[in-house]
Amino acid sequence: MTKNYWLELDDDASLNDLPADATPGFDGDDDDARDATDKLRDELIELQERLYAEQRHAVLIVFQAMDTGGKDSTIRRVFSGVNPAGIRMARFGRPSEKELAHDYLWRVHPHTPARGQIVIFNRSHYEDVLVVRTNKLFPEPVWRRRYEHIRGFEGLLADEGATILKFYLHIDRDEQRERLQSRLDEPDKHWKFDAHDLEQRKLWDDYMAAYADAIRETSRPFAPWYIIPANRKWYRDYAVMSIIVQALRKLDPKYPEPDYDPRKIRLE
Ligand code: AMP
Ligand code: MG
């Protein structure tokens, strides 16, 4: 009875054709979704506790989206209340001079999860085939061969025991306009406004093409991409939460059996 909470990108389709305000797999209203998300969060907290105790599975969760797409608030809402001991977020912004002097995966690999950990990537190595492509930071032959590197890199992590989930939060151009405008209108959001985002907005169609290629080239059973319609925040949170909880249920983490007999230990 697994429902699909994501959108499929057909071979010749453009991301611009996928409805960012859809709510696939959900027939209730926004309050139902919020309640369901809260319930699932309790389960997530329990599953993460077991995963941490068991120290067997590593989990990597990648978030990518256009500016204002909702990466930060999805992460905040899905993971709030999870024990910080076993969870970490890594943010990948503009690379430093030192990072640029290395290959583009050099800065990424140290942040991958150890067994027992969940690591969230807020942006990721995918920027190296997205912003790098749309802004022509490197020529096409350089970024094009990276799809193969990325498949290999994620294949390595998966072979060594990582579960990888990748989310592209899909908003449309009109929604981005509204969200950018609210960053100008609301004093509490001024800190989020970045004039650089307006430059990137002009490249919208180039970004959609870059995202579509990245998703097609690197979605594999061991590292699937989920295209989440993200105009409606309550649906986005619910969909992401559902997919993560389902993946953790499948791992079925268990508290380890003690290597001693607790009944035989006497405290003084
Ligand atoms: P933010 O997520 O708002 O903190 O912005 C981070 C910025 O860093 C975005 O504009 C990204 O496109 C940019 N960025 C991330 N990774 C790279 C990269 N590998 N090369 C160039 N820019 C990047
Ligand atoms: Mg930003």
Side-chain angles (χ1 to χ4, degrees):
M1 57 135 262
T2 313
K3 288 182 183 167
N4 282 2
Y5 297 112
W6 60 92
L7 301 170
E8 296 292 344
L9 184 64
D10 292 338
D11 279 348
D12 44 6
S14 154
L15 280 169
N16 279 322
D17 301 332
L18 296 190
D21 49 11
T23 60
F26 192 75
D27 11 85
D29 62 18
D30 55 337
D31 281 336
D32 293 342
R34 286 190 190 94
D35 289 348
T37 303
D38 287 343
K39 257 201 170 144
L40 285 166
R41 190 181 301 101
D42 291 341
E43 191 178 344
L44 172 65
I45 288 168
E46 166 78 20
L47 285 162
Q48 187 266 344
E49 182 77 14
R50 290 168 182 270
L51 189 106
Y52 181 59
E54 188 182 46
Q55 299 222 359
R56 183 166 160 224
H57 302 286
V59 178
L60 174 62
I61 304 177
V62 174
F63 285 95
Q64 285 287 158
M66 294 296 285
D67 295 312
T68 77
K71 297 181 298 297
D72 295 270
S73 58
T74 305
I75 292 166
R76 172 163 47 80
R77 295 201 216 180
V78 169
F79 294 98
S80 63
V82 174
N83 180 359
I87 195 156
R88 190 159 43 83
M89 186 187 88
R91 182 187 285 281
F92 296 96
R94 278 167 213 122
S96 67
E97 218 173 293
K98 184 174 176 189
E99 287 169 343
L100 279 172
H102 290 268
D103 71 84
Y104 64 98
L105 291 174
W106 179 79
R107 68 170 179 162
V108 176
H109 206 159
H111 293 285
T112 56
R115 292 174 206 286
Q117 288 181 344
I118 298 176
V119 171
I120 302 154
F121 279 7
N122 187 333
R123 301 189 192 267
S124 65
H125 44 295
Y126 283 96
E127 292 292 331
D128 294 284
V129 292
L130 295 167
V131 64
V132 162
R133 168 173 169 176
T134 55
N135 288 257
K136 301 185 169 46
L137 303 181
F138 285 105
E140 175 162 352
V142 172
W143 57 256
R144 198 163 274 289
R145 66 189 177 213
R146 292 181 172 175
Y147 298 130
E148 197 178 338
H149 305 154
I150 292 173
R151 288 190 295 265
F153 174 60
E154 293 177 357
L156 155 79
L157 299 178
D159 284 348
E160 295 290 319
T163 294
I164 305 172
L165 305 171
K166 300 180 291 193
F167 293 100
Y168 163 61
L169 307 179
H170 178 52
I171 58 166
D172 56 33
R173 209 164 171 269
D174 290 341
E175 180 71 18
Q176 191 193 49
R177 185 179 201 293
E178 280 183 29
R179 293 186 185 186
L180 286 169
Q181 189 63 49
S182 76
R183 290 182 178 186
L184 293 169
D185 295 343
E186 296 172 35
D188 287 358
K189 292 188 180 172
H190 286 170
W191 67 277
K192 292 191 195 178
F193 183 78
D194 183 350
H196 175 75
D197 296 353
L198 303 185
E199 293 306 309
Q200 299 306 301
R201 177 172 164 78
K202 293 182 188 150
L203 303 172
W204 186 274
D205 287 340
D206 295 340
Y207 267 107
M208 291 303 105
Y211 265 108
D213 283 346
I215 289 168
R216 289 194 179 103
E217 292 280 353
T218 66
S219 211
R220 291 294 179 273
F222 58 81
W225 271 108
Y226 298 101
I227 302 172
I228 305 295
N231 275 11
R232 299 175 201 228
K233 296 169 182 172
W234 53 266
Y235 177 79
R236 170 201 75 196
D237 296 343
Y238 171 73
V240 169
M241 179 72 94
S242 299
I243 293 166
I244 292 172
V245 167
Q246 280 179 29
L248 296 183
R249 276 183 199 149
K250 255 197 179 155
L251 295 179
D252 192 21
K254 295 191 169 58
Y255 290 116
E257 288 296 326
D259 54 4
Y260 58 88
D261 184 348
R263 287 161 311 180
K264 289 196 174 142
I265 296 182
R266 291 277 167 269
L267 298 178
E268 296 297 316

